[in-house]
Amino acid sequence: MKATRHLLCLALCGVAAFAHGADVSRAPVDVIPLPAQVTYAGEPFNVSAQTPIVVDGGDAAARRAADYLAALTARTRHLPLQVKNAPVPGPAIVLKRDPQALVANAEGYTLDVTPQGIRVVAREEAGLFYGAITLWQLLTPAHGTGDVKVAAVHIRDEPRFGWRGLMLDSARHFQTTDEVRTLLDQMAQHKLNVLHWHLTDDQGWRIEIKRYPELTGIGAWRTPPDAGEGGEPQRYGGYYTQDDIRAIVAYAAERHITVVPEIDMPGHAQAAVASYPQVGVTGRRPPVSPDWGVNPYLYNVDDASLHFLQNVLDEVMALFPSSYIHVGGDEAVKDQWKASPAVQARMRELKLKDENALQSWFIGQMGQYLSAHGRRLIGWDEILEGGLPASASVMSWRGTQGAIDAAKQGHDVVLSPAPQLYLDQMQSDRADETTGRLPSMSLESIYAFEAVPKALDAKQAKHVLGLQANMWTEHMPTLRHIEHAVFPRIDALAEAAWTPAPSRDWHTFLDRLPAQLARYRGQDIGYADSAFAASIEVDRHAAIANGHASVTLSNQSKYGSLHYTTDGGAPGANSPLYVGPFMVNLPTAVKAVALADDGTPLAAVRERVLDVAALRSRTTGELDNCPGSDFRLRVQPTPDATSLSPTYLINVFDNCRLYRAAKLDGIAAISVDIARLPRNYQLAHDAKLVVSHKATTPQGELLVRLDSCKGRTLATLPLPKGGPATFTLQGALARQSGVHDLCLVFTSPITGPLYGIGKVSLLPAEVAAKATP
C-alpha cells in the first residue's frame, strides 16, 4: 500500500475474492463494472495497428460487435484495428459466437488474453457486445495512445440483473437527438441496457402523435416565467418526430439498449390537456405548465378520453418494440376528479369506492389494452394504490416499500428509489456545485445501494428485475448539467447492477475509476469531480482573532494524495503533500488538488482565499435552512439557464436562511447579494405549508434577526420594487458582541418571486463606512 494512500486512509490495493471462489492476486483490471470472475496468468499481449479483429465470415452479429469495437478503439485510443474474416494466421483478437460457450446468460461472455492473442466468446450477440466493451476498456488504460499491452487474464462474466436502467426526462427539458445518442453511447460503455425515456408531462409533450398533431403543435411549447428577461427565452420546447424516434430506437438497439417510453397518465397531463381540453376533466384549456412540481390536471375517465389515450398508445407501440410501456401513474392529485359530477357519476357506475380505486381501474384499462397488443404495463409505485392488474410491473420510487409490497403480491419490480437513485440529487454540498436537490447522494452512496430488499425471501426476490437511476431535468436544462449529474455516478450504478454482490468493493472501485475518468476526458464528457475535489477548511473565528489559520484538507471519497500550495502556484506532484493540518498567515490563498498514483489530477484545483473579509462571508451553500422545513433546492437565476452557475440554495416553503455562528464583535453592517427568482413551483396539497412572513411594505423586506427567526430584529433592508434580477442590499446592523446565529427572513408576498442569497458579508465599522455612498 502506497504511503500517500496510507496517510489518507485511502483505498486498499488488494483485491477481494471474486464470485464463484476465484482468487485474485494482482491489482484489478481497469474495468467498470467489475466482471464476475477474473483470474490472472502468464505474460501480456501487445495490441498494435497490425493486430486484426477476426470474426467468422458468415456471422453478421459478430461482425457488428467487431466493427463497434474497432470504431470505438480508433476514436478513443487512436488505435486503428482492421476487422477481418477467419481464418487469419498469427496473433489476433477473435470475437466468436458459440452456442456451447461456458456462460448461462445471453448477456454473458468469456474473455481470454494470452501471449498468443485475445479471444472473446459468447452464446448471443449481446454477450459478445459486452465482451467487446470489456476488451475496449482493457485497451484504454488511463494514459497513452496507439499500441497497448493487455495483461493476461481470464474473464468469465455475466450480469447480476437483467434490468440495468437509466431514466432520461426529456419532458421538463428537451435534449437534441445527438445529445440522446451521447447518453446512449455512455450507457453502452457501462453495460446498461434500458433507457427509460420520459416523454410527456405537464411541462411538455415531446413525442409526435400523427393522429393528434396539437400534442406537439401546442403541447411541446411553454412560455417560461419572466420570458424574454435575463436570458430566458420567449418560448421553450421541442419534440421528437416519429422518424427521430425510430432512429434513436435503432441506435439504441445496435448497442443492446431497449428504449422504454413513458406516457404519463392519469396525472402529469397538463401539456396534453392544453392541447386537447376535451380529454381533461374541467373542459378548460390551461397553458403548458412553466411550473415544476405537482400540477392538478388529470385525464378524464370517460370513454372518449380512454379512446384518445389508446390511440396514442397505438402509435407509441408502433415506434417502440419494447415489451414494457411505462404509463407513469404517479402524483395524480385527485382534486379534479373529486370536484367533477361526471367523474363521480362514473365512479358510481363502476361501483368504485374512491378515487384511488378509480385510478386503479384506469390503469387496469390501459394494462388490458397493452396486454391485448402483446405488451406489458409498468408504472410508478402509486399504481399499487387501489389494486394492480396481475400482469403489471412496478417501478418503486417512493423508497423501497413499493417494491417490497409489489414483489410480495407476485409483481415484477424495478428498484428506483428517491433519493438514493435520483441523479437530480446533488452529489455533494460543496459551494461550487451546480443545480440539484439536497440531501446529496454521493458516488459512494450510489455504489452502496443494494437492489434486493432484505424484507424479501428468496422466492419474492426473483421478482426484482433490477435497478435504475433517474435523471429528472427540471433543474438540468443542458447536456452539461446532465453530464455533471450522471457521471461518474453512472459507474457506481453500473457496478451495483452488473457485479455479483460479494465481489463489489468500494476501495477497488476507486482504484479502477481514474482510467474511466480519462475515458470521459477523451470523449468530452463533462463529468463531476465532486468526489475527489479538495475541501479546504479552517476555524474562521480563530483565524480572524489570531491572524493565522490551521488548514485542514480532505475530499469526499478519501481517495488520492492531496497536494497544496500557499504561494499562488498551481499544486502538483512536486508540491507539498498533505499529511495533516498546517499553519498559514493571513492573508493568503490555499490551493489544493487530489492526485492519482501516477500523478494525474483526479479533480480540478480548488482554491480558498483566506483573509478577514472572506472569513466574515458565507456563500449560498454555506447558509442553512430555517427551522420547520428540510426542503433544499439549488437553482439558477432562470429555469432554462445555459450555464452551470451562478446557483442559489433555496427553500420554496420558507424564504428564509440561517447564517450560523456569526462572530459579531466590531460588526457594524451587513451586505447581502440577492437574486430575484421565479416562484414557478406547483405544490398541490403541500401549498398550505408555505410560510408567509409579515411585511411592512408591499414588496417586503429582508429582516436580520438575532439568534433565531423569532429573535430581535438587528436590521431591516427594504426589497426594491422591480429593477434588476440581481442586486445587493446593505445596511447598518445593531451592535452586538459574541457569537450568534443570524436569521435572514424575506417578508415578500408568497404570491410573488422567491429571493436567493448569493453571499452574506459582515462588515466592521471602517469597511462599512467606506462602502456607504
Side-chain angles (χ1 to χ4, degrees), residues 192-210:
L192 301 181
N193 66 349
V194 178
L195 175 67
H196 170 181
W197 201 5
H198 185 72
L199 290 167
T200 74
D201 214 296
D202 301 302
Q203 299 82 13
W205 185 285
R206 306 288 178 221
I207 173 174
E208 179 188 26
I209 302 297
K210 292 185 180 297

mmCIF file of all heavy atoms in Angstrom, residues 192-210:
data_model
loop_
_atom_site.group_PDB
_atom_site.id
_atom_site.type_symbol
_atom_site.label_atom_id
_atom_site.label_comp_id
_atom_site.label_asym_id
_atom_site.label_seq_id
_atom_site.Cartn_x
_atom_site.Cartn_y
_atom_site.Cartn_z
ATOM 1 N N LEU A 192 -25.205 -0.754 -19.408
ATOM 2 C CA LEU A 192 -26.607 -0.503 -19.056
ATOM 3 C C LEU A 192 -27.467 -0.818 -20.275
ATOM 4 O O LEU A 192 -27.082 -0.531 -21.407
ATOM 5 C CB LEU A 192 -26.810 0.948 -18.618
ATOM 6 C CG LEU A 192 -25.982 1.403 -17.409
ATOM 7 C CD1 LEU A 192 -26.302 2.854 -17.068
ATOM 8 C CD2 LEU A 192 -26.219 0.511 -16.201
ATOM 9 N N ASN A 193 -28.646 -1.386 -20.040
ATOM 10 C CA ASN A 193 -29.399 -1.914 -21.184
ATOM 11 C C ASN A 193 -30.841 -1.434 -21.291
ATOM 12 O O ASN A 193 -31.580 -1.908 -22.159
ATOM 13 C CB ASN A 193 -29.368 -3.444 -21.164
ATOM 14 C CG ASN A 193 -30.094 -4.042 -19.972
ATOM 15 O OD1 ASN A 193 -30.462 -3.336 -19.037
ATOM 16 N ND2 ASN A 193 -30.297 -5.353 -20.002
ATOM 17 N N VAL A 194 -31.278 -0.495 -20.451
ATOM 18 C CA VAL A 194 -32.628 0.053 -20.562
ATOM 19 C C VAL A 194 -32.553 1.574 -20.459
ATOM 20 O O VAL A 194 -32.079 2.100 -19.443
ATOM 21 C CB VAL A 194 -33.579 -0.479 -19.469
ATOM 22 C CG1 VAL A 194 -34.958 0.161 -19.618
ATOM 23 C CG2 VAL A 194 -33.699 -2.003 -19.542
ATOM 24 N N LEU A 195 -33.007 2.259 -21.512
ATOM 25 C CA LEU A 195 -33.239 3.700 -21.426
ATOM 26 C C LEU A 195 -34.731 3.899 -21.216
ATOM 27 O O LEU A 195 -35.534 3.631 -22.108
ATOM 28 C CB LEU A 195 -32.801 4.415 -22.705
ATOM 29 C CG LEU A 195 -33.140 5.915 -22.730
ATOM 30 C CD1 LEU A 195 -32.329 6.677 -21.687
ATOM 31 C CD2 LEU A 195 -32.937 6.513 -24.119
ATOM 32 N N HIS A 196 -35.089 4.341 -20.039
ATOM 33 C CA HIS A 196 -36.467 4.707 -19.734
ATOM 34 C C HIS A 196 -36.599 6.173 -20.159
ATOM 35 O O HIS A 196 -35.986 7.054 -19.562
ATOM 36 C CB HIS A 196 -36.700 4.499 -18.239
ATOM 37 C CG HIS A 196 -37.988 5.046 -17.723
ATOM 38 N ND1 HIS A 196 -38.323 4.956 -16.388
ATOM 39 C CD2 HIS A 196 -39.031 5.687 -18.296
ATOM 40 C CE1 HIS A 196 -39.494 5.531 -16.182
ATOM 41 N NE2 HIS A 196 -39.937 5.992 -17.339
ATOM 42 N N TRP A 197 -37.411 6.425 -21.184
ATOM 43 C CA TRP A 197 -37.456 7.748 -21.815
ATOM 44 C C TRP A 197 -38.757 8.437 -21.440
ATOM 45 O O TRP A 197 -39.836 8.069 -21.906
ATOM 46 C CB TRP A 197 -37.331 7.595 -23.326
ATOM 47 C CG TRP A 197 -36.866 8.830 -24.031
ATOM 48 C CD1 TRP A 197 -36.475 9.999 -23.477
ATOM 49 C CD2 TRP A 197 -36.731 8.978 -25.451
ATOM 50 N NE1 TRP A 197 -36.108 10.890 -24.457
ATOM 51 C CE2 TRP A 197 -36.247 10.295 -25.668
ATOM 52 C CE3 TRP A 197 -36.970 8.146 -26.537
ATOM 53 C CZ2 TRP A 197 -36.013 10.785 -26.953
ATOM 54 C CZ3 TRP A 197 -36.726 8.632 -27.809
ATOM 55 C CH2 TRP A 197 -36.249 9.933 -28.013
ATOM 56 N N HIS A 198 -38.652 9.446 -20.575
ATOM 57 C CA HIS A 198 -39.801 10.188 -20.055
ATOM 58 C C HIS A 198 -40.160 11.277 -21.061
ATOM 59 O O HIS A 198 -39.481 12.309 -21.149
ATOM 60 C CB HIS A 198 -39.434 10.780 -18.695
ATOM 61 C CG HIS A 198 -40.567 11.461 -17.989
ATOM 62 N ND1 HIS A 198 -41.613 10.769 -17.437
ATOM 63 C CD2 HIS A 198 -40.815 12.763 -17.741
ATOM 64 C CE1 HIS A 198 -42.462 11.623 -16.874
ATOM 65 N NE2 HIS A 198 -42.003 12.848 -17.049
ATOM 66 N N LEU A 199 -41.254 11.081 -21.795
ATOM 67 C CA LEU A 199 -41.554 11.890 -22.976
ATOM 68 C C LEU A 199 -42.723 12.852 -22.805
ATOM 69 O O LEU A 199 -42.907 13.735 -23.657
ATOM 70 C CB LEU A 199 -41.821 10.972 -24.179
ATOM 71 C CG LEU A 199 -40.593 10.232 -24.706
ATOM 72 C CD1 LEU A 199 -41.017 9.123 -25.673
ATOM 73 C CD2 LEU A 199 -39.636 11.192 -25.388
ATOM 74 N N THR A 200 -43.529 12.689 -21.791
ATOM 75 C CA THR A 200 -44.675 13.587 -21.624
ATOM 76 C C THR A 200 -44.832 13.961 -20.157
ATOM 77 O O THR A 200 -44.596 13.146 -19.263
ATOM 78 C CB THR A 200 -45.989 12.942 -22.104
ATOM 79 O OG1 THR A 200 -46.429 11.951 -21.169
ATOM 80 C CG2 THR A 200 -45.826 12.298 -23.473
ATOM 81 N N ASP A 201 -45.243 15.213 -19.940
ATOM 82 C CA ASP A 201 -45.504 15.680 -18.584
ATOM 83 C C ASP A 201 -46.241 17.002 -18.681
ATOM 84 O O ASP A 201 -46.613 17.433 -19.777
ATOM 85 C CB ASP A 201 -44.207 15.819 -17.786
ATOM 86 C CG ASP A 201 -44.406 15.475 -16.309
ATOM 87 O OD1 ASP A 201 -45.169 16.193 -15.641
ATOM 88 O OD2 ASP A 201 -43.814 14.489 -15.839
ATOM 89 N N ASP A 202 -46.439 17.648 -17.539
ATOM 90 C CA ASP A 202 -47.144 18.924 -17.528
ATOM 91 C C ASP A 202 -46.406 19.995 -18.315
ATOM 92 O O ASP A 202 -47.025 20.895 -18.875
ATOM 93 C CB ASP A 202 -47.308 19.406 -16.078
ATOM 94 C CG ASP A 202 -48.074 18.415 -15.225
ATOM 95 O OD1 ASP A 202 -49.221 18.097 -15.569
ATOM 96 O OD2 ASP A 202 -47.509 17.937 -14.218
ATOM 97 N N GLN A 203 -45.082 19.893 -18.367
ATOM 98 C CA GLN A 203 -44.272 20.963 -18.947
ATOM 99 C C GLN A 203 -43.938 20.744 -20.417
ATOM 100 O O GLN A 203 -43.277 21.588 -21.024
ATOM 101 C CB GLN A 203 -42.968 21.113 -18.153
ATOM 102 C CG GLN A 203 -43.171 21.487 -16.707
ATOM 103 C CD GLN A 203 -43.500 20.303 -15.810
ATOM 104 O OE1 GLN A 203 -43.344 19.150 -16.202
ATOM 105 N NE2 GLN A 203 -43.968 20.577 -14.600
ATOM 106 N N GLY A 204 -44.364 19.627 -20.986
ATOM 107 C CA GLY A 204 -44.086 19.426 -22.399
ATOM 108 C C GLY A 204 -44.461 18.039 -22.879
ATOM 109 O O GLY A 204 -44.330 17.055 -22.151
ATOM 110 N N TRP A 205 -44.934 17.982 -24.120
ATOM 111 C CA TRP A 205 -45.228 16.716 -24.802
ATOM 112 C C TRP A 205 -44.208 16.586 -25.928
ATOM 113 O O TRP A 205 -44.182 17.396 -26.851
ATOM 114 C CB TRP A 205 -46.651 16.720 -25.346
ATOM 115 C CG TRP A 205 -47.064 15.421 -25.948
ATOM 116 C CD1 TRP A 205 -46.684 14.916 -27.165
ATOM 117 C CD2 TRP A 205 -47.908 14.422 -25.365
ATOM 118 N NE1 TRP A 205 -47.230 13.678 -27.376
ATOM 119 C CE2 TRP A 205 -47.987 13.347 -26.292
ATOM 120 C CE3 TRP A 205 -48.609 14.338 -24.168
ATOM 121 C CZ2 TRP A 205 -48.755 12.212 -26.042
ATOM 122 C CZ3 TRP A 205 -49.359 13.192 -23.914
ATOM 123 C CH2 TRP A 205 -49.443 12.150 -24.841
ATOM 124 N N ARG A 206 -43.362 15.551 -25.870
ATOM 125 C CA ARG A 206 -42.183 15.502 -26.733
ATOM 126 C C ARG A 206 -42.245 14.464 -27.854
ATOM 127 O O ARG A 206 -41.276 14.343 -28.599
ATOM 128 C CB ARG A 206 -40.941 15.211 -25.886
ATOM 129 C CG ARG A 206 -40.740 16.164 -24.720
ATOM 130 C CD ARG A 206 -40.310 17.536 -25.177
ATOM 131 N NE ARG A 206 -40.167 18.457 -24.054
ATOM 132 C CZ ARG A 206 -40.553 19.704 -24.077
ATOM 133 N NH1 ARG A 206 -41.109 20.214 -25.168
ATOM 134 N NH2 ARG A 206 -40.396 20.481 -23.023
ATOM 135 N N ILE A 207 -43.317 13.732 -27.998
ATOM 136 C CA ILE A 207 -43.387 12.678 -28.999
ATOM 137 C C ILE A 207 -44.476 13.004 -30.013
ATOM 138 O O ILE A 207 -45.624 13.272 -29.642
ATOM 139 C CB ILE A 207 -43.629 11.293 -28.355
ATOM 140 C CG1 ILE A 207 -43.864 10.213 -29.405
ATOM 141 C CG2 ILE A 207 -44.768 11.324 -27.333
ATOM 142 C CD1 ILE A 207 -43.960 8.810 -28.822
ATOM 143 N N GLU A 208 -44.120 12.980 -31.297
ATOM 144 C CA GLU A 208 -45.096 13.255 -32.347
ATOM 145 C C GLU A 208 -46.143 12.137 -32.401
ATOM 146 O O GLU A 208 -45.796 10.951 -32.499
ATOM 147 C CB GLU A 208 -44.395 13.355 -33.699
ATOM 148 C CG GLU A 208 -45.349 13.613 -34.854
ATOM 149 C CD GLU A 208 -44.676 13.531 -36.216
ATOM 150 O OE1 GLU A 208 -43.652 12.826 -36.344
ATOM 151 O OE2 GLU A 208 -45.191 14.174 -37.156
ATOM 152 N N ILE A 209 -47.414 12.516 -32.308
ATOM 153 C CA ILE A 209 -48.528 11.594 -32.495
ATOM 154 C C ILE A 209 -49.324 12.120 -33.688
ATOM 155 O O ILE A 209 -49.961 13.170 -33.613
ATOM 156 C CB ILE A 209 -49.416 11.514 -31.230
ATOM 157 C CG1 ILE A 209 -48.582 11.067 -30.011
ATOM 158 C CG2 ILE A 209 -50.600 10.580 -31.458
ATOM 159 C CD1 ILE A 209 -47.985 9.674 -30.109
ATOM 160 N N LYS A 210 -49.253 11.416 -34.792
ATOM 161 C CA LYS A 210 -49.806 11.951 -36.038
ATOM 162 C C LYS A 210 -51.319 12.136 -35.961
ATOM 163 O O LYS A 210 -51.870 13.065 -36.577
ATOM 164 C CB LYS A 210 -49.421 11.039 -37.203
ATOM 165 C CG LYS A 210 -47.925 11.073 -37.514
ATOM 166 C CD LYS A 210 -47.581 10.267 -38.735
ATOM 167 C CE LYS A 210 -46.089 10.304 -39.045
ATOM 168 N NZ LYS A 210 -45.601 11.664 -39.364
#
